[in-house]
Amino acid sequence: MRYLVRVPMLVWHLLVHLPLTLLLITPLTAAMRLGGDEGLDHRVIRAWSAGLMRVFGFRLRRVGTPLPGGVMFVANHVSWIDIEMLHSQRMMGFVAKREISQWPVVGWMASRAETIFHARGSTESLGGVLHEMLARLREGRAVGVFPEGGTRGGDEIGPFHARIFLAAVEAGVPVQPVALKYGDGGSAQSVVAFGPRENFVANFFRLLGEPARVAEVHFLQPILPGQAEGRRRIAELARQRIVEAMGMSPDAAAGD
């Protein structure tokens, strides 16, 4: 029954809302402001992402406030829907694995939403990613990263790779940890996450038929420039704040 309702909603969102979104994120509209500092193109992308979350039955709930300007947002990684949830709250250019660029709809939208794609395991690719992140942060733009480097089934948080924090250190911008919870108190983390041997398409259509549930995004206390010494300490502190917000004990979290 859920598919009978949501499939037409998804088709409408792709065939009607998506073309309208694309018309409003051209270079001509990027400089337009409807009040405040946020550009029209960024506001439209946020609205489209929030709409996609509603199509999948997620009721968005935000706790805390995302920082403005140049900031690095770091979050736990559960599934592809994480990008849409974060984009619904604050425009940021994500660092994501290159494979996402090949995913239907989401990959194409990610490319239009300033995503920086990274070939995992490639030192040369990571160097280019860090250079692009640094440039954007210095321009006062936001970037978003998943420092675990991949998803982990939803029921654990792996160690954060410290090198990715180098761009924030060199740019002198704050790092704001973000905890992503699905279901009441994070009870549906493993449901939303990729299952064993489950690919993007399978996860996409499975989530489309899942019961409606809350999706919480917690913008946590930021780590300001100079507050923690070195990228490794920043990585540890950011992970600690996310683990605490998720209600996990440090000993139970992966990597400890």
Side-chain angles (χ1 to χ4, degrees):
M1 292 299 293
R2 296 186 195 103
Y3 285 116
L4 290 177
V5 174
R6 292 180 186 171
V7 169
M9 290 174 62
L10 178 62
V11 171
W12 180 270
H13 198 60
L14 296 178
L15 298 184
V16 178
H17 293 168
L18 182 57
L20 290 174
T21 298
L22 296 177
L23 288 173
L24 294 172
I25 61 174
T26 65
L28 293 176
T29 59
M32 295 179 62
R33 298 289 186 272
L34 296 180
D37 296 329
E38 188 178 37
L40 175 62
D41 54 343
H42 288 184
R43 183 170 296 190
V44 167
I45 288 173
R46 287 202 301 107
W48 193 88
S49 295
L52 186 64
M53 295 290 291
R54 286 192 294 272
V55 168
F56 279 78
F58 288 106
R59 302 186 303 275
L60 289 168
R61 182 184 300 161
R62 188 175 84 185
V63 179
T65 304
L67 295 178
V71 55
M72 177 184 286
F73 294 97
V74 298
N76 56 305
H77 200 10
V78 183
S79 184
W80 62 271
I81 201 77
D82 300 341
I83 294 176
E84 300 306 324
M85 177 146 70
L86 286 166
H87 264 163
S88 73
Q89 304 299 316
R90 169 78 155 86
M91 182 60 193
M92 60 189 78
F94 280 97
V95 177
K97 61 183 181 181
R98 187 162 293 170
E99 291 92 327
I100 291 178
S101 64
Q102 306 301 318
W103 288 356
V105 182
V106 172
W108 189 71
M109 278 299 294
S111 299
R112 298 299 297 266
E114 303 180 358
T115 300
I116 307 168
F117 293 110
H118 168 51
R120 289 189 294 184
S122 170
T123 302
E124 182 179 356
S125 174
L126 181 57
V129 166
L130 290 172
H131 178 78
E132 178 62 24
M133 289 172 60
L134 180 60
R136 294 189 187 189
L137 291 171
R138 284 176 171 169
E139 291 171 0
R141 298 156 68 188
V143 298
V145 299
F146 300 111
E148 293 169 272
T151 57
R152 289 175 169 263
D155 55 356
E156 60 182 22
I157 298 177
F160 281 9
H161 297 289
R163 188 176 179 185
I164 201 72
F165 291 85
L166 181 61
V169 173
E170 294 195 356
V173 300
V175 172
Q176 186 165 26
V178 186
L180 305 180
K181 292 185 179 183
Y182 297 96
D184 292 326
S187 59
Q189 299 293 100
S190 59
V191 175
V192 173
F194 288 97
R197 296 180 294 280
E198 186 178 51
N199 60 22
F200 166 75
V201 174
N203 184 268
F204 184 94
F205 283 104
R206 181 172 62 80
L207 291 186
L208 191 61
E210 281 287 322
R213 54 174 50 97
V214 68
E216 296 182 358
V217 51
H218 294 246
F219 288 94
L220 307 174
Q221 180 183 358
I223 304 166
L224 302 178
Q227 208 169 44
E229 292 189 11
R231 63 192 187 189
R232 190 168 302 279
R233 177 55 186 153
I234 295 175
E236 292 171 351
L237 188 55
R239 181 178 178 274
Q240 176 187 335
R241 290 182 182 177
I242 293 174
V243 166
E244 290 174 352
M246 295 298 297
M248 298 178 176
S249 67
D251 293 337
D256 290 329

